Amino acid sequence: MNRDEIICMARESGLFLGHSFAWSNLDRFANLVCRSEREACVRICTEVARIETQQFALDGAVAAHECAQRIRERG
């Protein structure tokens, strides 16, 4: 997720409406960020599954380790 995406989500959540602060806006912002990260993780795992299926069959533990490693690399 880059800076522009975070700003877009903050605006979408209402975080930048005026100078007042509302916890509900912060909650919406956090939910948008979490959803974005979950989707990115799903894409990683889907890609690993596709590659593993096409190249060679690995057991579930190895594929899970590969997914975890790629997710960690996201920072």
Side-chain angles (χ1 to χ4, degrees), residues 19 24 39:
H19 294 287
S24 61
E39 289 304 315

Side-chain angles (χ1 to χ4, degrees), residues 20-60:
S20 62
F21 178 81
W23 283 106
S24 61
N25 292 347
L26 184 58
D27 187 51
R28 275 194 296 270
F29 175 67
N31 287 330
L32 288 168
V33 170
C34 288
R35 183 174 56 211
S36 175
E37 281 303 299
R38 276 192 304 271
E39 289 304 315
C41 292
V42 166
R43 284 191 301 275
I44 288 170
C45 293
T46 301
E47 178 67 12
V48 167
R50 186 186 64 74
I51 290 168
E52 299 305 331
T53 300
Q54 288 178 355
Q55 292 180 356
F56 48 90
L58 291 179
D59 67 15

